[in-house]
Short mmCIF file of all heavy atoms in Angstrom, two decimals:
data_model
loop_
_atom_site.label_atom_id
_atom_site.label_comp_id
_atom_site.label_asym_id
_atom_site.label_seq_id
_atom_site.Cartn_x
_atom_site.Cartn_y
_atom_site.Cartn_z
N GLU V 38 147.39 119.13 19.81
CA GLU V 38 147.88 119.76 21.04
C GLU V 38 149.40 119.71 21.14
O GLU V 38 150.04 120.68 21.55
CB GLU V 38 147.23 119.12 22.26
CG GLU V 38 145.71 119.31 22.33
CD GLU V 38 145.29 120.78 22.25
OE1 GLU V 38 145.98 121.62 22.86
OE2 GLU V 38 144.28 121.07 21.57
N LEU V 39 149.99 118.57 20.78
CA LEU V 39 151.45 118.46 20.85
C LEU V 39 152.10 119.40 19.83
O LEU V 39 153.10 120.06 20.12
CB LEU V 39 151.90 117.01 20.61
CG LEU V 39 151.47 115.99 21.67
CD1 LEU V 39 152.09 114.62 21.36
CD2 LEU V 39 151.87 116.43 23.08
N ASN V 42 151.87 122.98 21.11
CA ASN V 42 152.91 123.25 22.12
C ASN V 42 154.28 123.41 21.47
O ASN V 42 155.06 124.28 21.87
CB ASN V 42 152.97 122.10 23.13
CG ASN V 42 151.82 122.16 24.14
OD1 ASN V 42 151.12 123.17 24.23
ND2 ASN V 42 151.61 121.08 24.87
N ALA V 43 154.56 122.57 20.48
CA ALA V 43 155.85 122.64 19.80
C ALA V 43 156.00 123.99 19.10
O ALA V 43 157.05 124.64 19.17
CB ALA V 43 155.95 121.50 18.79
N ASP V 45 154.40 126.80 19.87
CA ASP V 45 154.58 127.83 20.91
C ASP V 45 156.04 127.89 21.35
O ASP V 45 156.61 128.97 21.53
CB ASP V 45 153.75 127.51 22.15
CG ASP V 45 152.27 127.78 21.93
OD1 ASP V 45 151.93 128.37 20.90
OD2 ASP V 45 151.47 127.36 22.80
N ALA V 46 156.63 126.71 21.56
CA ALA V 46 158.01 126.65 22.06
C ALA V 46 158.96 127.29 21.05
O ALA V 46 159.94 127.93 21.42
CB ALA V 46 158.40 125.21 22.34
N LYS V 49 158.50 131.09 21.05
CA LYS V 49 159.22 131.67 22.19
C LYS V 49 160.71 131.74 21.90
O LYS V 49 161.38 132.70 22.26
CB LYS V 49 158.98 130.83 23.45
CG LYS V 49 157.57 131.00 24.02
CD LYS V 49 157.38 130.12 25.26
CE LYS V 49 155.90 130.06 25.66
NZ LYS V 49 155.60 128.84 26.43
N ASP V 84 160.49 119.04 18.38
CA ASP V 84 160.61 120.43 17.97
C ASP V 84 161.96 120.97 18.38
O ASP V 84 162.66 120.36 19.18
CB ASP V 84 159.49 121.27 18.60
CG ASP V 84 159.60 121.36 20.10
OD1 ASP V 84 160.58 121.98 20.61
OD2 ASP V 84 158.72 120.83 20.81
N ILE V 87 162.16 126.15 22.73
CA ILE V 87 162.96 126.55 23.89
C ILE V 87 163.30 125.41 24.83
O ILE V 87 164.16 125.56 25.68
CB ILE V 87 162.27 127.65 24.74
CG1 ILE V 87 160.84 127.27 25.08
CG2 ILE V 87 162.35 129.01 24.09
CD1 ILE V 87 160.24 128.13 26.15
N GLY V 88 162.62 124.25 24.69
CA GLY V 88 162.93 123.14 25.58
C GLY V 88 162.52 123.43 27.00
O GLY V 88 161.93 124.47 27.30
N MET V 89 162.82 122.47 27.89
CA MET V 89 162.45 122.65 29.29
C MET V 89 163.57 122.19 30.22
O MET V 89 164.25 121.21 29.94
CB MET V 89 161.17 121.86 29.61
CG MET V 89 159.90 122.48 29.07
SD MET V 89 158.43 121.49 29.40
CE MET V 89 158.44 120.38 27.99
N ASN V 97 155.48 123.15 34.74
CA ASN V 97 154.56 123.30 33.60
C ASN V 97 153.78 122.03 33.28
O ASN V 97 152.67 122.10 32.77
CB ASN V 97 155.31 123.74 32.35
CG ASN V 97 155.98 125.09 32.54
OD1 ASN V 97 155.60 125.84 33.41
ND2 ASN V 97 156.99 125.35 31.74
N ILE V 98 154.40 120.89 33.51
CA ILE V 98 153.72 119.65 33.15
C ILE V 98 153.14 118.95 34.39
O ILE V 98 152.06 118.38 34.34
CB ILE V 98 154.68 118.68 32.40
CG1 ILE V 98 155.29 119.38 31.18
CG2 ILE V 98 153.98 117.39 32.01
CD1 ILE V 98 154.50 119.35 29.90
N LYS V 103 147.47 127.88 35.72
CA LYS V 103 146.19 128.58 35.67
C LYS V 103 145.12 127.66 36.24
O LYS V 103 145.36 126.51 36.54
CB LYS V 103 145.86 128.93 34.22
CG LYS V 103 146.74 129.99 33.64
CD LYS V 103 146.44 130.23 32.18
CE LYS V 103 147.17 129.23 31.30
NZ LYS V 103 146.87 129.37 29.89
N GLY V 125 141.48 121.94 24.28
CA GLY V 125 142.53 122.86 23.84
C GLY V 125 142.33 124.28 24.32
O GLY V 125 143.28 125.04 24.46
N PHE V 127 141.54 125.26 27.19
CA PHE V 127 141.75 125.48 28.62
C PHE V 127 143.20 125.46 29.08
O PHE V 127 143.47 125.44 30.26
CB PHE V 127 140.93 124.46 29.42
CG PHE V 127 139.46 124.70 29.29
CD1 PHE V 127 138.75 124.20 28.22
CD2 PHE V 127 138.80 125.48 30.22
CE1 PHE V 127 137.41 124.46 28.08
CE2 PHE V 127 137.46 125.75 30.09
CZ PHE V 127 136.75 125.23 29.02
N GLY V 128 144.11 125.48 28.15
CA GLY V 128 145.52 125.50 28.53
C GLY V 128 145.95 124.23 29.25
O GLY V 128 146.77 124.25 30.16
N ILE V 129 145.37 123.10 28.88
CA ILE V 129 145.75 121.83 29.49
C ILE V 129 145.90 120.76 28.41
O ILE V 129 145.79 119.58 28.66
CB ILE V 129 144.68 121.36 30.53
CG1 ILE V 129 143.29 121.49 29.91
CG2 ILE V 129 144.79 122.17 31.79
CD1 ILE V 129 142.19 120.99 30.80
N GLY V 130 146.18 121.23 27.18
CA GLY V 130 146.17 120.34 26.03
C GLY V 130 147.15 119.18 26.10
O GLY V 130 146.86 118.09 25.61
N PHE V 131 148.30 119.38 26.73
CA PHE V 131 149.31 118.33 26.76
C PHE V 131 148.73 117.00 27.27
O PHE V 131 149.01 115.93 26.73
CB PHE V 131 150.49 118.75 27.64
CG PHE V 131 151.45 117.62 27.88
CD1 PHE V 131 152.36 117.24 26.88
CD2 PHE V 131 151.42 116.90 29.06
CE1 PHE V 131 153.22 116.17 27.08
CE2 PHE V 131 152.28 115.83 29.26
CZ PHE V 131 153.18 115.46 28.26
N TYR V 132 147.90 117.08 28.29
CA TYR V 132 147.41 115.86 28.93
C TYR V 132 146.54 115.00 28.03
O TYR V 132 146.33 113.83 28.29
CB TYR V 132 146.66 116.20 30.23
CG TYR V 132 147.52 117.00 31.16
CD1 TYR V 132 147.41 118.38 31.21
CD2 TYR V 132 148.48 116.38 31.95
CE1 TYR V 132 148.22 119.14 32.02
CE2 TYR V 132 149.31 117.12 32.76
CZ TYR V 132 149.18 118.51 32.79
OH TYR V 132 150.00 119.24 33.60
N THR V 178 162.47 119.74 22.24
CA THR V 178 161.73 118.71 22.97
C THR V 178 161.31 117.59 22.04
O THR V 178 160.84 117.84 20.92
CB THR V 178 160.47 119.35 23.61
OG1 THR V 178 160.89 120.41 24.44
CG2 THR V 178 159.70 118.34 24.43
N ILE V 180 158.84 114.26 22.11
CA ILE V 180 157.81 113.55 22.89
C ILE V 180 157.58 112.18 22.28
O ILE V 180 157.30 112.07 21.08
CB ILE V 180 156.50 114.37 22.91
CG1 ILE V 180 156.84 115.77 23.36
CG2 ILE V 180 155.44 113.67 23.77
CD1 ILE V 180 155.94 116.48 24.25
P1 ADP D 701 149.37 125.14 27.30
O1 ADP D 701 150.21 124.76 26.14
O2 ADP D 701 148.01 125.60 26.90
O3 ADP D 701 150.03 126.07 28.27
P2 ADP D 701 149.79 122.38 27.99
O4 ADP D 701 149.21 121.52 29.07
O5 ADP D 701 149.60 121.89 26.62
O6 ADP D 701 149.12 123.79 28.15
O7 ADP D 701 151.31 122.61 28.27
C1 ADP D 701 151.75 123.03 29.53
C2 ADP D 701 153.10 123.74 29.46
O8 ADP D 701 154.16 122.82 29.23
C3 ADP D 701 153.23 124.75 28.34
O9 ADP D 701 152.66 125.99 28.70
C4 ADP D 701 154.75 124.84 28.18
O10 ADP D 701 155.29 125.72 29.17
C5 ADP D 701 155.19 123.45 28.50
N1 ADP D 701 155.41 122.68 27.25
C6 ADP D 701 154.59 121.77 26.70
N2 ADP D 701 155.09 121.28 25.55
C7 ADP D 701 156.28 121.91 25.36
C8 ADP D 701 157.30 121.86 24.34
N3 ADP D 701 157.17 121.07 23.28
N4 ADP D 701 158.37 122.64 24.50
C9 ADP D 701 158.49 123.48 25.56
N5 ADP D 701 157.57 123.58 26.53
C10 ADP D 701 156.48 122.80 26.44
#
Side-chain angles (χ1 to χ4, degrees):
E38 296 305 321
L39 295 185
N42 284 346
D45 286 350
K49 287 179 192 156
D84 66 66
I87 51 167
M89 285 177 273
N97 299 339
I98 305 274
K103 290 176 276 177
F127 292 84
I129 47 176
F131 171 77
Y132 304 97
T178 303
I180 308 219

